[in-house]
Amino acid sequence: MDIDVPPRGLTTSATQLPLPQRARTPLTVVIVSWNTRELTLEALRSFLPAGDLPLEVVVVDNASSDGSADAIEAAFPDVQVIRNERNLGFAGGVNVGLRASRHPLVLLLNPDTRVVGDVLPRLVDYATDHPEAGIVGPRVLNGDGTLQASRFRFPSLLNQLLEAAYLPQLFPGSRIFDRERLGGSDATRPAPVEAVSGCCFLVRRSVLDEVGFLDEDFFMYAEETDLCYRAWQAGFEVHYAPVGEIVHLHGASSRLASRRNFLEYRRSILRFFRKHRSPLATHCARALLLLFLVARLPYWALRAYTGSDREMAEQRFGNHRAGIRFLLQPLDRILDCDVPR
């Protein structure tokens, strides 16, 4: 897959200066791979070798069938590859890597990312200079170089209501309607935020020792949001630090199981509400998720019959219909059953 990534040693930020020489805190990079052999290899090539940054890399392979583990070991003999016997999901895979990590700073990195320039040492330096920050996330770019949302407010009924009304999509960047993605705020300045994207997520070992690892009840999606919430509750801050960029292809591995991920995303939102909000708020959140799907179903049905992109529209229509059936189940079953594929 071709993406527009600046050459190594360069950055898309014209204002950045060369890094000063300094002793840096050792970093562990944890990558979870599931049938993403070429993507994972490209991700590793984007930051290895790591120069003067003390670094260990752990790749956790979630029972891939595409030869990922063998290819990574052959191309990068210094990378520790852990082979899971089954797909543990993102949270479960990350936790395997966290248990194997040895350093005081850990970076969770998606396989569908490309590290740009020296963002990793810059993130380490930022964490060193801001001891109040237990979790740090960089600026994230799409494959075409545009800014990707990577700073968020925690899920709330207001945010779900705005989403159900499709207002963030109709008014992107609005401080009022796009509030969950911090619309209208300055993305060029570092600042404490409620949550950062899990595609590139630096966390202190001291945070993990205090609040625990990722919650494996979140098979995928919202596990990093849950960890950010627990970090704030324990007195740590979460910082957005645009000291450099990564490129995120956004869901390259999750597209391998599109319908399942469509449903898992909505289940993860409800898991977050059940864990951190009231039972009433959780039921209201389910109603708002249903409202969004029901309101959009006629649109995708029409495009499936009349649009030029019928195959995509048929898939979206099928996902929305499956989502409605899924969310009409009793809440306990939604949260605990196997998600249809």
Side-chain angles (χ1 to χ4, degrees):
M1 183 178 300
D2 295 329
I3 57 174
D4 184 16
V5 183
R8 290 206 58 194
L10 300 180
T11 175
T12 55
S13 298
T15 57
Q16 287 194 2
L17 299 174
L19 286 174
Q21 294 295 320
R22 59 190 294 183
R24 293 195 167 88
T25 305
L27 175 71
T28 298
V29 176
V30 174
I31 299 176
V32 176
S33 175
W34 179 65
N35 290 328
T36 53
R37 180 181 60 191
E38 296 305 320
L39 287 169
T40 305
L41 289 170
E42 286 300 318
L44 291 167
R45 291 186 189 110
S46 71
F47 67 89
L48 293 176
D52 63 351
L53 176 64
L55 184 71
E56 69 171 355
V57 181
V58 179
V59 174
V60 180
D61 184 73
N62 258 340
S64 295
S65 58
D66 65 348
S68 292
D70 290 340
I72 294 164
E73 286 181 335
F76 298 96
D78 292 333
V79 169
Q80 180 182 0
V81 178
I82 300 175
R83 301 170 185 246
N84 289 337
E85 294 182 357
R86 61 185 179 88
N87 185 358
L88 300 179
F90 179 74
V94 165
N95 286 346
V96 170
L98 292 178
R99 294 184 188 102
S101 65
R102 300 173 298 167
H103 294 330
L105 295 177
V106 181
L107 184 87
L108 312 183
L109 189 68
N110 276 19
D112 57 349
T113 57
R114 302 292 180 272
V115 173
V116 179
D118 52 11
V119 63
L120 296 191
R122 288 183 182 277
L123 283 173
V124 169
D125 290 350
Y126 184 92
T128 300
D129 295 338
H130 296 81
E132 73 279 9
I135 295 172
V136 182
R139 183 167 42 238
V140 180
L141 305 179
N142 295 304
D144 60 3
T146 57
L147 189 68
Q148 186 175 119
S150 61
R151 310 163 296 149
F152 305 98
R153 287 188 170 93
F154 294 128
S156 68
L157 288 180
L158 175 57
N159 292 339
Q160 291 304 307
L161 177 61
L162 295 171
E163 189 72 30
Y166 210 65
L167 293 174
Q169 290 79 5
L170 294 175
F171 302 98
S174 166
R175 190 175 295 272
I176 296 174
F177 299 125
D178 199 12
R179 65 186 306 275
E180 183 172 1
R181 300 172 184 85
L182 299 180
S185 61
D186 188 353
T188 66
R189 299 175 64 87
V193 296
E194 291 186 0
V196 292
S197 171
C199 68
C200 183
F201 186 95
L202 186 146
V203 58
R204 295 184 191 276
R205 170 67 58 179
S206 57
V207 173
L208 300 172
D209 290 341
E210 178 75 17
V211 307
F213 289 178
L214 296 188
D215 184 343
E216 295 183 22
D217 281 345
F218 296 89
F219 184 81
M220 59 177 64
Y221 306 117
E223 59 281 299
E224 75 274 19
T225 304
D226 169 70
L227 185 62
C228 288
Y229 188 93
R230 289 186 280 134
W232 275 110
Q233 293 293 102
F236 299 97
E237 293 185 5
V238 177
H239 283 204
Y240 167 70
V243 295
E245 298 93 3
I246 68 153
V247 173
H248 182 211
L249 301 182
H250 212 343
S253 58
S254 65
R255 283 196 294 269
L256 297 172
S258 176
R259 178 162 299 182
R260 180 181 186 181
N261 296 331
F262 185 87
L263 302 179
E264 284 286 4
Y265 173 73
R266 283 145 184 87
R267 175 155 74 173
S268 291
I269 292 174
L270 294 178
R271 285 193 185 281
F272 184 91
F273 270 87
R274 183 177 69 170
K275 186 173 181 179
H276 300 297
R277 311 297 188 198
S278 69
L280 177 60
T282 306
H283 285 286
C284 290
R286 178 176 63 157
L288 291 170
L289 289 170
L290 264 171
L291 176 62
F292 174 85
L293 296 179
V294 170
R296 297 289 290 167
L297 191 66
Y299 170 79
W300 289 117
L302 182 64
R303 283 187 61 173
Y305 284 100
T306 64
S308 58
D309 51 354
R310 292 186 180 183
E311 183 177 352
M312 182 275 293
E314 287 174 0
Q315 182 187 49
R316 295 288 183 89
F317 175 76
N319 286 348
H320 279 59
R321 190 169 58 179
I324 292 169
R325 291 197 301 266
F326 182 65
L327 291 172
L328 284 174
Q329 299 178 102
L331 184 60
D332 287 345
R333 178 164 175 77
I334 292 172
L335 295 174
D336 297 329
C337 72
D338 292 333
V339 171
R341 296 176 183 268

